[in-house]
Amino acid sequence: MRVLRYLAKIAPQVAISLHIDYDCRKMPDFTERFQVSCSLNAIVNGRRMGVSILTGDPHDEDNRLWCTIPAAGFDQRFFREEYRELILRAAAQLREQMRQRQCSNWLIERQLQRLTNVLKDTQHLERLNQE
Amino acid sequence: MLALDVMRFFRHIAPHVAISVSRNMDDRRALLNALSDQISEHYEANYPDGEEWDHPLAGDDRLDIHVSVIASGCLFSSYNTIKLRLPSEPETTGPLVDVVYKMIRLSLIRVRWEVSLAVEDSLMCCQLDRLIDLLANLDQLRQEVEVWKRASQPES
């Protein structure tokens, strides 16, 4: 996905992972929707830090790191709006985790900020998607 | 030279390389331990003429060494387990500590090799190369850690 490659270029020390699977909660029609989950990892001052579906509160709908998308017309090359929201949420959670653990690192903070800025610029993302 | 000081020094010069050394005692690692034993047995069966590791520190305790880096948005990691005779109290100097440093260096070389094959990330390669160079000469490492410790202490 072109957008993810671009994000890896502007924030090389932040690992973004989008995992796409069937939405098994919707049995027997589980093939109608996909479940997408996001995780973000960084190594900050020698410590591995990360956020994922496992680290978040499953009842906190506003901050959850997963969503569902329709399976029909799915294109793995296209960066969807849902992915953008998941990565933005994950970046905010990682920043909060660093603040809580009192881990400050200029490079990682800068790269997370860059990620956030690019993801908030929807026109830029649209251009990347179309190219 | 305290092991803790060395780890702090590593974090200072290579803040985006995660190195962890831990005593492997729990059952959660049973699968990895079994795999490690299987690989050893396979090696011994297929290379009967290979030199046996009769190091005086060989034993049945396991020490895990994990090295992780994130380069060009990808996570690279190396896991090693080594069987040694570990003392009940952690040692901070001596031949055991030197063996552990050598194992850390091997793990770093492996990760460096994987990174260079897969991506181009000069920052991570520089940090890994610096650690690999430092660990090549443990006497020099001890000196550098002492200098860094003195320089980083607040003036009284």
Side-chain angles (χ1 to χ4, degrees), chain B residues 74-94:
Chain B
C74 303
L75 177 71
F76 296 86
S77 62
S78 154
Y79 169 81
N80 261 325
T81 178
I82 179 171
K83 282 172 113 178
L84 292 166
R85 196 180 58 249
L86 297 175
S88 51
E89 290 294 313
E91 284 183 2
T92 54
T93 54

Side-chain angles (χ1 to χ4, degrees), chain A residues 20-21 23 30-36 67-75 80 82-83:
Chain A
I20 297 176
D21 209 340
D23 186 2
F30 65 95
T31 50
E32 283 181 11
R33 290 187 79 78
F34 285 139
Q35 189 186 51
V36 184
C67 68
T68 63
I69 57 169
F74 173 75
D75 182 351
R80 298 174 65 101
E82 290 93 334
Y83 308 159

Side-chain angles (χ1 to χ4, degrees), chain A residues 8-9 11-16 41-48 105 107-108 111, chain B residues 11 14-19 68-75 77 121 123-124 127:
Chain A
K9 214 167 248 183
Q13 268 61 59
V14 179
I16 302 170
N41 283 279
I43 292 170
V44 189
N45 301 337
R47 293 163 75 185
R48 198 169 147 184
N105 184 282
L107 185 88
I108 300 296
Q111 291 191 1
Chain B
R11 285 176 184 184
H16 305 109
V17 180
I19 301 172
S68 310
V69 299
I70 291 173
S72 293
C74 303
L75 177 71
S77 62
D121 190 321
L123 179 89
M124 280 329 305
Q127 290 192 10

